[in-house]
Amino acid sequence: MTAEIISTGAFVPEKTVTNDDLSGIMDTNDEWIRTRTGIGERHIADEEFPNDEKAFVLALKACERALNNASEKAKTEKTASFKDRSDIDMIIVGTSTPDFSFPATACRLQEALGIENAAAFDISLACTGFIAALSTADAYIRAGVYKNILVVGVDVLSRLIDWSDRGTAVLFGDGAGAAVVSASDSESGVIKTVLHSAGSGAKALYSKSMYFNEDEKAGMSMDGKKVYDFAVRKTPEVIREAVESINCDDVKYYVLHQANIRIIEAVSKRLKEPMEKFPHNIGRYGNTSAASIPIMLDELEREGRLKKGDLICLAGFGAGLAYGAVLLKF
Ligand code: UT7
């Protein structure tokens, strides 16, 4: 029994903020941001979204898309376990910027999606949140406990941004991505998951809980160089661990957390794998934290770049310092 991703969905808010917009409010410029990060613009959940619904609404829209895509697929293809959303028996949300301390974002989504009797909870692991959620879903399915799991990555990093700190403000954007993961006895599905935390570096990237601050901005502290070095060192390591049972030549795409195009290029170089195998959209979205991997995956799917049987390796890294990878057959 494997855990197969049968559909994806993603959503980003309409409002974009370009590098030139940012250079109007802080001491930065398009050239610096593009050459140092690869980012051109990012989507921000502005006043259009009530403050207590930002993560919820982005995630809900991504989930609706993933569930509709799964239902469409179930009509034409033989999907072993999933027929419609009533089959969902677990919802796992990776987020570190929920609207509420409780209930879990997953419980709010469950109610809004009309899914009864499912288990639902959130996982907080920052930019590695989607990898942690997908690994958890894989474990439950492999153990035979649940059959159809909605796995979500959503973050609203803009709510933490200090717009006077050019070192972090230019990097992040808001968004959500989701995947329907189903028990399958086909060839497709997760082959291996690997999840680690370094056990050091917790102070390299952090944001205090919002209730530490009277104003709504909790702010963010980042040692950019430390996080960069960690990502470039540990991401190839964890990918090697995930793909050890197969030949790297057979991997079609490495879908990495989109934090910095230079990190992606450095990983490509260290793995001696061509950049064509590393799809990226950071130019349009910035770093959307737990959402970046499922957004990228959904983009590949919608563009028809994923074919049945393709081997894909997902890899995430970030605050913790945590990192992980999932090797799967599409
Ligand atoms: O999801 C995980 C989350 N975080 C990350 O992945 C971040 C990992 N780190 C990085 O991506 C990079 O370290 C950054 C993009 C954050 C920074 O790039 P860098 O090449 O390490 O630049 P730096 O911090 O060494 O700064 C170089 C210069 C400094 O000026 P001086 O001291 O050389 O005069 C900065 O003050 O660039 C300056 N600088 C900026 N200039 C214009 C820093 N931010 C900006 C900015 N615009 N936004």
Side-chain angles (χ1 to χ4, degrees):
M1 185 67 71
T2 63
E4 180 185 353
I5 294 185
I6 62 163
S7 75
T8 58
F11 184 81
V12 292
E14 209 171 284
K15 161 111 178 155
T16 54
V17 175
T18 64
N19 294 342
D20 287 336
D21 293 334
L22 291 179
S23 65
I25 57 167
M26 66 182 77
D27 182 16
T28 190
N29 57 77
D30 181 59
E31 207 254 329
W32 190 97
I33 302 171
R34 276 184 199 276
T35 52
R36 300 285 178 133
T37 70
I39 299 167
E41 61 182 16
R42 67 288 291 145
H43 292 248
I44 298 292
D46 61 4
E47 316 77 50
E48 187 198 333
F49 300 83
N51 203 24
D52 60 355
E53 289 199 350
K54 289 185 176 183
F56 166 68
V57 172
L58 300 187
L60 184 60
K61 289 183 186 277
C63 289
E64 288 284 7
R65 289 179 179 177
L67 288 167
N68 290 341
N69 290 340
S71 299
E72 281 306 307
K73 207 165 179 177
K75 282 185 201 157
T76 53
E77 284 176 34
K78 196 187 155 303
T79 44
S81 317
F82 183 91
K83 295 284 166 285
D84 60 49
R85 64 179 61 187
S86 66
D87 293 319
I88 295 290
D89 44 19
M90 176 173 256
I91 303 172
I92 311 175
V93 178
T95 186
S96 49
T97 49
D99 306 311
F100 291 179
S101 294
F102 55 82
T105 309
C107 297
R108 295 178 76 197
L109 290 174
Q110 180 183 13
E111 187 172 33
L113 292 166
I115 295 171
E116 290 173 7
N117 296 324
F121 59 87
D122 292 358
I123 288 180
S124 168
L125 202 60
C127 303
T128 320
F130 184 77
I131 295 290
L134 183 57
S135 307
T136 307
D138 173 59
Y140 273 109
I141 287 176
R142 227 173 256 276
V145 182
Y146 294 103
K147 281 199 159 63
N148 293 290
I149 306 185
L150 185 57
V151 180
V152 188
V154 59
D155 266 313
V156 186
L157 264 293
S158 67
R159 65 176 17 142
L160 304 180
I161 288 174
D162 172 355
W163 294 104
S164 66
D165 176 14
R166 68 178 184 172
T168 55
V170 302
L171 303 175
F172 298 98
D174 302 333
V180 175
V181 182
S182 285
S184 163
D185 45 20
S186 76
E187 292 269 286
S188 301
V190 171
I191 298 167
K192 184 166 180 185
T193 65
V194 192
L195 200 56
H196 294 297
S197 285
S200 63
K203 281 277 165 81
L205 176 53
Y206 68 87
S207 173
K208 288 185 181 174
S209 285
M210 302 229 193
Y211 46 72
F212 279 103
N213 277 284
E214 281 183 358
D215 67 11
E216 269 177 23
K217 297 274 179 240
M220 189 187 303
S221 169
M222 182 173 79
D223 180 339
K225 179 137 186 43
K226 194 164 182 176
V227 179
Y228 186 95
D229 290 346
F230 149 80
V232 166
R233 207 161 27 88
K234 289 296 182 187
T235 312
E237 259 181 51
V238 79
I239 289 175
R240 282 197 196 97
E241 212 181 326
V243 304
E244 66 183 355
S245 65
I246 60 151
N247 185 341
C248 279
D249 288 346
D250 295 335
V251 175
K252 183 167 180 186
Y253 293 123
Y254 296 93
V255 179
L256 265 53
H257 166 49
Q258 308 280 303
N260 187 325
I261 192 68
R262 290 189 296 138
I263 293 177
I264 299 174
E265 286 166 352
V267 172
S268 145
K269 213 165 164 185
R270 284 191 180 212
L271 287 173
K272 298 192 174 57
E273 287 279 52
M275 264 307 273
E276 295 75 64
K277 286 190 172 188
F278 293 78
H280 47 86
N281 56 18
I282 185 164
R284 283 175 284 130
Y285 300 121
N287 178 345
T288 56
S289 190
S292 82
I293 292 172
I295 290 176
M296 189 68 246
L297 209 51
D298 182 63
E299 199 166 302
L300 291 172
E301 168 84 326
R302 281 186 293 107
E303 289 173 356
R305 293 163 71 189
L306 291 176
K307 303 272 177 290
K308 197 93 182 150
D310 284 345
L311 281 171
I312 314 288
C313 185
L314 316 178
F317 54 84
L321 293 168
Y323 56 108
V326 175
L327 176 67
L328 59 93
K329 186 176 272 194
F330 215 74

